[in-house]
Amino acid sequence: MDLARPQVAARRTRSAAARLGLVAVPVAFFAVFFAYPVAAIVARGLHVDGAWRFGRLWDVLGQSDIRHVLWFTTWQALASTALTLLIALPGAYVFARFDFPGKQVLRAVVTVPFVLPTVVVGTAFLALVGRGGLLDELWGVRLDTTVWAILLAHVFFNYAVVVRTVGGLWAQLDPRQEEAARMLGASRWTAWRTVTLPALGPAVAAAALMVFLFTFTSFGVVQILGGPPFSTLEVEIYRQTSEIFDLSTAAVLTIVQFLAVGSILAVHAWTVRRRESALRLVDASVTARRPRGAGQWALLAGVLAVVAVLLVLPLAVLVRRSLDAPGFGYYRALTESDGGVFLVAPIEAIGNSLQYAVVATLIAVLVGGLAAAALTRRDAGRFVRGFDALLMLPLGVSAVTVGFGFLISLDEPPLDLRSSWILVPLAQALVGVPFVVRTMLPVLRAVDDRLREAAAVLGASPWRVWREIDLPMVRRALLIAAGFAFAVSLGEFGATVFIARPDNPTLPVAVARLLGRAGDLNYGQAMALSTVLMVVCAVALLVLERLRTDRTGEF
C-alpha cells in the first residue's frame, strides 16, 4: 500500500496538471476576447471625465427616444415569440406524432432558415414584401416598413427552434398517459390540456425563452426590414456608434442589454434543468404513426402549407429576384468594382468569407474542444464547472456588443488588432465556440472513464489518452461541431459589420452595403450575393445532416 501511494499521488498530480492545461487556453481566450471587451464597454459607459458616474445610466434611460427603443425591443420580442409559438407548435406536433413520406427531407427544409444568416433572412423577406417584391407585383402591397415584416421574418428564422425543441420532447412522451385519461372519460382537449401540456411545459418555456432571446437581440432582420420607428437595442447601439459617434450612449445601452440577456440565460438554464429532471421518456420511434381521419390529414396539410408559404416561398422569391436581369446580369455585375462603397469587386466577399470562416472554425474547434475535454473530467473543480455556463454567454450576448467591444478595447499595444485581418475570425469564433462545446460534450461524457483510467495506469500520457481513446469516438461529433462553427462564422454579421475592413468585406457585410445604396443594380446584386450565401449555408447543413444520420462508421 505504501508503494502504491506515490504512484496514486503522481497520477493525481498529472491529472490536475492536465486539467489546468486543458482549461488554460479557453479561459485565456474568453478573458482576452470576451471579458476584456465587455469590461471596456462598461468603463466607457460609466467612466466619464476621469470619474465613475453611475448616474449616466439613468441619464441615457431617461431620454424619450431611448425609452421608445427599449419598449419596442421588448414588445417586438414578446410578439415574435407568441406568434412563433402559435404557428410552430402544430408543426412540432406533426413532426413528433406523424409518420409520412418525405418527413426527413421536410425536417431539413424546416431547419435551413435557422442556420441562414440574418442578412439573408431580411433580404429574402425584402424580396417578398418590399419594393418590387412579390406582394407588390401581385397586389400592390408593401410590408417592408411595417412591424409585420419583422415579426414574420422572426417566425421564419425561429420556426425550427420550436419544432426541434418541443417536437423532440413531444416525440418521446409516452402517449399511453393521454390515452388513459381519455379512457377515464376526458375529452381529447381535456386530456391534452391536463396530461400532455404540463409535461411539455418546460420544453415550451425553453423554446419560448430561446426565441425571445434571439428576437430581443435581433439586428440584421430589423436593420434591413425596419424603418426609423423600428429600432431595437442592437440597431440603436450600431446607430449610436457608426452614425452619431456617441460611444458613451452606445456603451450604456450595451450594459442594459447585457444585463437583460444575462437574466434571460439564467431563466433558460433553470427551465432546462426542470425539463431534464421531471420527465419519463420513451423511444421516439414507437410514438409516430400515419395520420388517421380527415382532421389529422387536414392538420398535416396545414403544416405543409405553412412551411411552403412561410419558409420556402421567401427563399424562392429571393432566388427569382436574383435572376431578373437577363443573362445572369446581377451575378456578372458582382465581378465589377465601381470604386464607390466597395474598394474591391463584390464577388471577392465570397473568398473573404470562406477564408475568415475557415480560420474561425479552426479557432473555435481548438478552444471549444479543449473546453469540452476539461468539462468531461470527473475531477473537474467548481471553477471548471462554472466555466461551462460562461461559455454560453456569447450565444446570448449581442454580436453588436462583441464587435463594439473589439472596436474600443483592442486598439492599443500589445493588443492593437484594428488593422489585423485576424480580428474578424476571432469575433466569429466567439460565437462558434458554444456550438462546438454543446456538440462535443454529450459524446465525450458518454465515453467510459474506465478506459481513460486503464490507459493512464499503463503509463499513457494525457495527450496519448485523448488521441487513442477519446478522438476515435468523437471524430464524427468533431466534424459536426466544425460544420456548425463554419456555418455560424460564414453568416456572422453583427460583430463583423463593425470590424471588417472596406477592402475585405464579408458576404453579409457586402449584402448590407448593397442594400443601403439606391438603384436596381445594387438591389439585384444584394439578392445575388444573398442567394450565394444561402446556397453555401444550405450545403453545409446537408453535410451536417448526412454526418448525423450516417451509421456506417464509428461514432
Side-chain angles (χ1 to χ4, degrees), residues 47 71 73 101 143 158 173 255 264-265 287 290 293 353 364 384 420 465 478 494 510 518 533 540 545 552:
H47 196 262
W71 174 85
T73 301
L143 299 176
N158 293 292
L173 292 182
I255 295 170
I264 296 169
L265 287 176
T287 62
R290 292 186 66 83
S353 288
V384 176
S420 174
V465 171
L478 185 63
L533 187 52
E545 288 292 329
T552 59

Side-chain angles (χ1 to χ4, degrees), residues 107-272:
R107 190 188 300 273
V109 170
V110 166
T111 309
V112 165
F114 182 71
V115 301
L116 289 180
T118 56
V119 170
V120 173
V121 175
T123 308
F125 271 82
L126 197 63
L128 179 63
V129 303
R131 173 180 56 86
L134 183 63
L135 295 184
D136 193 12
E137 290 179 359
L138 295 178
W139 299 293
V141 175
R142 289 182 57 185
L143 299 176
D144 55 321
T145 57
T146 70
V147 72
W148 280 107
I150 296 173
L151 298 182
L152 290 175
H154 283 161
V155 175
F156 170 92
F157 189 76
N158 293 292
Y159 187 92
V161 174
V162 178
V163 169
R164 291 277 186 168
T165 304
V166 180
L169 178 62
W170 210 333
Q172 294 179 275
L173 292 182
D174 191 345
R176 291 174 296 183
Q177 297 179 4
E178 187 174 327
E179 293 171 359
R182 295 198 63 196
M183 291 181 62
L184 294 174
S187 64
R188 183 182 297 274
W189 163 250
T190 302
W192 182 85
R193 180 173 55 82
T194 58
V195 177
T196 304
L197 183 58
L200 289 175
V204 174
L209 283 167
M210 289 175 65
V211 174
F212 182 85
L213 180 64
F214 292 143
T215 53
F216 186 85
T217 58
S218 180
F219 176 61
V221 168
V222 180
Q223 178 77 355
I224 292 174
L225 295 176
F230 309 124
S231 181
T232 59
L233 273 172
E234 288 276 274
V235 175
E236 187 65 20
I237 292 170
Y238 177 73
R239 190 176 74 89
Q240 293 285 344
T241 304
S242 61
E243 298 178 10
I244 303 177
F245 304 108
D246 187 349
L247 299 186
S248 178
T249 298
V252 170
L253 294 178
T254 300
I255 295 170
V256 172
Q257 181 164 286
F258 185 79
L259 294 175
V261 167
S263 301
I264 296 169
L265 287 176
V267 175
H268 179 263
W270 175 77
T271 304
V272 170

Side-chain angles (χ1 to χ4, degrees), residues 2 5 56 71-72 145 156 186 189 202 240 293 298 401 449 492 504 517:
D2 292 338
R5 286 177 181 176
R56 175 63 179 160
W71 174 85
F72 179 74
T145 57
F156 170 92
W189 163 250
Q240 293 285 344
T401 297
D449 202 51
E492 205 287 318
N504 285 294
R517 304 178 69 189

